[in-house]
Amino acid sequence: MTEALRDVWSAWWQSTLHTHPSPVPIREALSLITVATNSLCPWLNTWTATCTPAADAHLADLVDDVMFEYGITGLRMGFYGEYNASAELLGWLFTEVRDRVTDARLDDLFEYLRPAVQHPS
């Protein structure tokens, strides 16, 4: 049963990433499958591997949404905010997907956080 549900979530997520705009806003879709599966990473990995104009447009939408008043620093997902997504999502946004979206707020946030994420020499 669990595997069948994961297959349904995966198919829905793929469909969402390939359709912009989608019937469900991207943050809501990501939040739902993250809480349903108790994991954000696999869905972000799928998004990273989906290099299409629709996926990139969703990425721009998500960044615009979570960067409003720098809400990403306390981002919680789920119906009751039960999944703390800030660290995973922020880390993901500073991977290769960073080149797929233009938003000066990400640059500012990266510069602000750089000292905290650099390794001591």
Side-chain angles (χ1 to χ4, degrees):
M1 175 79 163
T2 303
E3 191 62 34
L5 287 173
R6 183 168 286 285
D7 290 346
V8 169
W9 292 125
S10 183
W12 181 59
W13 183 236
Q14 282 287 340
S15 176
T16 299
L17 290 175
H18 283 88
T19 307
H20 188 271
S22 59
V24 177
I26 197 67
R27 181 175 172 181
E28 290 179 31
L30 184 59
S31 181
L32 176 68
I33 60 174
T34 295
V35 171
T37 61
N38 197 34
S39 184
L40 179 59
C41 191
W43 311 111
L44 296 179
N45 289 342
T46 299
W47 202 342
T48 300
T50 308
C51 297
T52 65
D56 291 352
H58 280 302
L59 181 58
D61 291 347
L62 180 73
V63 168
D64 187 52
D65 186 15
V66 301
M67 291 303 293
F68 179 73
E69 297 182 354
Y70 294 95
I72 193 168
T73 59
L75 185 64
R76 303 195 66 80
M77 293 184 159
F79 299 107
Y80 306 105
E82 61 268 31
Y83 192 95
N84 185 348
S86 288
E88 285 176 276
L89 188 58
L90 190 57
W92 177 72
L93 287 172
F94 291 134
T95 66
E96 65 268 15
V97 298
R98 175 67 189 95
D99 296 333
R100 292 166 52 183
V101 65
T102 302
D103 193 306
R105 295 170 296 180
L106 278 178
D107 297 331
D108 294 344
L109 188 60
F110 180 72
E111 288 304 314
Y112 174 75
L113 294 174
R114 184 189 314 241
V117 296
Q118 286 183 340
H119 298 289
S121 5

